[in-house]
Amino acid sequence: MSAFTTRPELCGTFGAVSSTHWLGTTVAMAVLEKGGNAFDAAAACGFVLQIVEPHLNGPGGDVPIIAKSASADEPVVICGQGPSPALATIERYHAIGLDMVPGTGLLPAVVPGAFDAWMLLLRDFGTLPLEEILSYAIGYAERGFPLLARAVSSIIPVADLFRDEWPSSAQVWLPGGAVPRHDRLFTTPGIAETYRRLLTEAKSVGGDRIAQIEAARKAFYGGFVAEAIDRFYSSEVLFDTTGRRNGGLLRGDDLAGWSASIEKTVSRDFAGLTIHKTGPWGQGPVMLQQLALLSQFDIAAMDPLGAEFAHTIIESAKLAFADREAFYGDPSASDIPLDLLISDEYARERAKLIGPDASLELRASHLDGASERLAKIAARAGSEEPVGPGGGEVTFAPVPAIEGDTVHLDVTDRFGNMVSATPSGGWLQSSPAIPGLGFSISTRGQMFWLDEGLPSSLRPKTRPRTTLSPSLIMKQGAPWLAIGTPGGDQQDQWPLIVLLRHHLHRYALQRAIDAPMFHAKHWPGSFYPRDYELGRVLMEDRYGKEVIDQMRDRGHKVSVMDPWSLGRVCAVGRRDGLYHAAATPRHMQSYAIAR
């Protein structure tokens, strides 16, 4: 394997952007060019990605954002993960014969958090008027955008469902009753009208920027948007993953009683860096646990394209993700020993389990309750079944799994700001479009367990343990790297590999992203039907026979994947007075800009 890269690593002195769609990236740079800062650019990009990647996120979705302001010492997390409805209880699901939250339909809906998170980012960190930020998304929704082939591939399997069971979705996604064609102009006028109406209500309070943002938040969560969601979810009974028709639990009061929040990050040091992640309501601390474990090994001395490197990372991931299952959840509802889990003391003890051969069991922590919790989860999840390529969140059970599930964006600017965000949810194929709004609601509730006594057990008004996991990394007190990826349970696997190659092995950022990728599927998946396979590792075939055979000799169950199939990492960095940007070539749509 050579030092081949698919494109140069872009760099400049003005700013840098990377996202999972070229239109989102160019919009973010346009905002920077107009004088906006990184936070303005990120919000504009985020709203555009809702339009141009509707199979991966939408206005009714969720987003965690990590923002580092030049005027602040530390980054913060903006939590745009909405909680479960007040009516959502384990007893209610059991009463209708369910032992797992379905992956589609009305039942798994949670409060849509993305809109309020972007509003909070703009209010506290942005500079531009709301109308300027939303204008790009409205323009593409009204005048059209080129529909991705992968979006069409997400519509095809559910076209009959839309026609027969979800007429509101058919109206949006099957124009004239037919599946749309890719690379043709496609419009979503319902979403454009929703955002125009929000702007009208925002401007009705006068010209003050902050007042307009607050008015838009009120209109969404306590006004016409919440009212439309309440009408639909309280009256409809629709087909879902269970194979029958069910009503919804989400209500307008759930939206009115919630708002996005600003929280401290969770962080730890590694090899001269400080890595900042979300709290354990996301899976972000998994990366910190892996880094703590890897600190017990000389990773820098390993070949970053070799079997020892891959084996050590995979074995550390198995231990960290086992802890995710046993301990992670909304800290407002569970007592989570997070400081201990990311500590050096704990890592030294757990690292003793990593040997030269692959582990073929879920290894619970020695901490109290871990074994019992992990056994309960493993018994409920679907184990020992062959798994697919694993980029995606399965959102309709009888339908083939759709790889790719989320979007990502990173921005840094000339003012010294940096932001990383991973929007997701509200997938067009996972829940019916809301009449009068034109978009779907997040089905993130499928991540709850319907068993008592787990940190991620379903509780009313509680955040699901999401997989969404942006990263913001500091070096010597300054923002150094913003990085992330779509990919569900892979979101703290692929970026970790890129980070290690970039920082320890001095790979240029683009080369670190382009290099062959791998990940494990050893633990229960986060999305319905929660499948996994002990010992399963997926590796791109660019690794070559020698490395793959070495992995198999160690006991890993290796599935050899297509050469450019794993990973969708985006990143921007700041070093040596330059802004750097890189984006994966996989799936042929992510792009980076720097100037």
Side-chain angles (χ1 to χ4, degrees):
M1 289 169 285
S2 69
F4 166 79
T5 61
T6 58
R7 60 189 80 172
E9 180 172 307
L10 306 174
C11 59
T13 58
F14 177 78
V17 180
S18 182
S19 87
T20 50
H21 196 289
W22 66 90
L23 292 177
T25 298
T26 53
V27 162
M29 183 55 75
V31 171
L32 294 180
E33 296 281 3
K34 288 188 175 182
N37 65 19
F39 311 118
D40 297 313
C45 178
F47 283 116
V48 166
L49 294 178
Q50 293 174 357
I51 305 301
V52 301
E53 296 191 276
H55 57 308
L56 307 179
N57 79 135
D62 350 80
V63 62
I65 304 167
I66 305 182
K68 170 61 176 71
S69 170
S71 62
D73 292 333
E74 297 290 337
V76 295
V77 172
I78 297 180
C79 176
Q81 178 54 61
S84 56
L87 295 175
T89 63
I90 290 175
E91 294 75 19
R92 184 178 286 264
Y93 280 89
H94 285 171
I96 58 176
L98 298 182
D99 59 11
M100 188 175 290
V101 179
T104 64
L106 302 176
L107 279 175
V110 297
V111 172
F115 185 81
D116 207 51
W118 291 124
M119 292 300 102
L120 191 54
L121 180 74
L122 288 171
R123 188 194 72 182
D124 289 2
F125 300 95
T127 63
L128 296 181
L130 181 58
E131 185 172 20
E132 173 71 23
I133 300 299
L134 286 174
S135 65
Y136 303 93
I138 292 171
Y140 284 119
E142 281 185 339
R143 295 189 294 273
F145 58 95
L147 195 62
L148 292 167
R150 297 181 68 80
V152 175
S153 296
S154 298
I155 295 171
I156 290 172
V158 291
D160 287 340
L161 171 73
F162 287 0
R163 294 186 187 102
D164 298 339
E165 304 287 348
W166 294 2
S168 58
S169 291
Q171 184 177 3
V172 176
W173 301 110
L174 301 176
V179 173
R181 297 177 62 179
H182 83 277
D183 285 340
R184 299 292 178 89
L185 211 58
F186 191 87
T187 61
T188 47
I191 298 175
E193 176 57 31
T194 296
Y195 280 144
R196 284 204 178 277
R197 188 172 173 186
L198 285 167
L199 280 177
T200 297
E201 299 216 12
K203 290 190 286 187
S204 70
V205 300
D208 181 75
R209 192 183 77 90
I210 301 298
Q212 287 189 359
I213 290 171
E214 290 299 321
R217 298 175 76 184
K218 182 178 179 181
F220 194 105
Y221 290 90
F224 76 94
V225 173
E227 291 167 0
I229 293 170
D230 184 87
R231 284 194 300 271
F232 190 68
Y233 272 78
S234 61
S235 63
E236 294 293 327
V237 179
L238 298 175
F239 189 82
D240 61 30
T241 308
T242 66
R244 60 179 187 264
R245 294 174 181 83
N246 288 294
L249 303 176
L250 187 64
R251 298 292 184 266
D253 287 346
D254 295 313
L255 277 72
W258 178 85
S259 62
S261 58
I262 296 179
E263 305 177 358
K264 290 183 178 180
T265 64
V266 177
S267 66
R268 72 160 280 131
D269 294 340
F270 174 81
L273 306 176
T274 303
I275 296 84
H276 292 267
K277 303 291 290 186
T278 71
W281 51 266
Q283 73 176 17
V286 162
M287 180 182 284
L288 306 182
Q289 287 197 246
Q290 290 176 88
L291 289 170
L293 289 162
L294 294 173
S295 295
Q296 312 304 312
F297 301 87
D298 191 359
I299 299 297
M302 298 178 187
D303 177 359
L305 300 177
E308 185 180 12
F309 177 84
H311 167 79
T312 307
I313 290 173
I314 287 166
E315 292 305 299
S316 73
K318 290 175 181 178
L319 297 174
F321 277 88
D323 283 348
R324 181 194 73 170
E325 294 303 308
F327 294 109
Y328 289 19
D330 189 338
S332 68
S334 299
D335 184 14
I336 300 166
L338 189 58
D339 289 344
L340 177 58
L341 293 175
I342 64 174
S343 69
D344 290 327
E345 176 188 7
Y346 182 73
R348 282 192 291 270
E349 186 67 25
R350 289 285 272 170
K352 294 176 184 177
L353 298 174
I354 299 177
D357 298 322
S359 168
L360 298 180
E361 59 181 325
L362 285 172
R363 290 173 162 177
S365 168
H366 58 276
L367 299 179
D368 289 346
S371 293
E372 295 79 4
R373 292 172 182 174
L374 200 57
K376 185 181 294 187
I377 289 169
R380 181 69 68 193
S383 63
E384 300 301 333
E385 294 294 331
V387 295
E393 300 166 356
V394 181
T395 52
F396 184 62
V399 176
I402 300 167
E403 186 178 309
D405 48 73
T406 299
V407 300
H408 184 79
L409 63 98
D410 301 300
V411 187
T412 188
D413 65 24
R414 67 192 187 279
F415 308 114
N417 305 304
M418 183 178 280
V419 59
S420 183
T422 310
S424 186
W427 309 297
L428 70 88
Q429 68 272 25
S430 66
S431 66
I434 306 297
L437 300 180
F439 59 78
S440 304
I441 300 299
S442 172
T443 53
R444 193 70 50 179
Q446 65 187 283
M447 302 188 73
F448 287 112
W449 291 104
L450 297 181
D451 295 271
E452 301 282 1
L454 301 170
S456 53
S457 296
L458 176 65
R459 301 172 181 84
K461 300 182 180 182
T462 301
R463 289 172 290 186
R465 191 214 66 212
T466 175
T467 56
L468 304 178
S469 193
S471 302
L472 198 146
I473 300 169
M474 306 277 286
K475 185 176 184 179
Q476 297 176 344
W480 182 74
L481 186 72
I483 187 170
T485 182
D489 296 304
Q490 286 68 253
Q491 288 183 39
D492 284 295
Q493 297 190 70
W494 295 330
L496 174 66
I497 297 166
V498 172
L499 171 62
L500 295 173
R501 289 170 173 166
H502 179 52
H503 182 52
L504 297 183
H505 301 98
R506 299 297 188 262
Y507 276 30
L509 193 53
Q510 187 64 51
R511 181 188 176 195
I513 290 172
D514 283 350
M517 195 65 73
F518 62 87
H519 68 262
K521 301 285 289 186
H522 177 84
W523 47 85
S526 296
F527 295 88
Y528 186 95
R530 316 300 289 264
D531 284 343
Y532 69 105
E533 185 179 4
L534 295 173
R536 180 59 59 192
V537 174
L538 282 63
M539 302 184 75
E540 291 181 341
D541 70 1
R542 290 184 294 139
Y543 269 100
K545 184 176 186 300
E546 181 179 356
V547 172
I548 291 170
D549 285 348
Q550 290 174 359
M551 292 292 288
R552 286 173 171 157
D553 288 344
R554 289 173 178 263
H556 296 284
K557 301 175 184 177
V558 179
S559 294
V560 180
M561 311 307 294
D562 290 340
W564 294 94
S565 58
L566 304 181
R568 288 183 66 198
V569 177
C570 297
V572 300
R574 298 163 59 95
R575 63 183 188 274
D576 303 324
L578 292 171
Y579 306 124
H580 295 254
T584 182
R586 298 163 176 90
H587 300 175
M588 302 286 286
Q589 66 191 64
S590 301
Y591 270 83
I593 294 179
R595 86 152 182 87

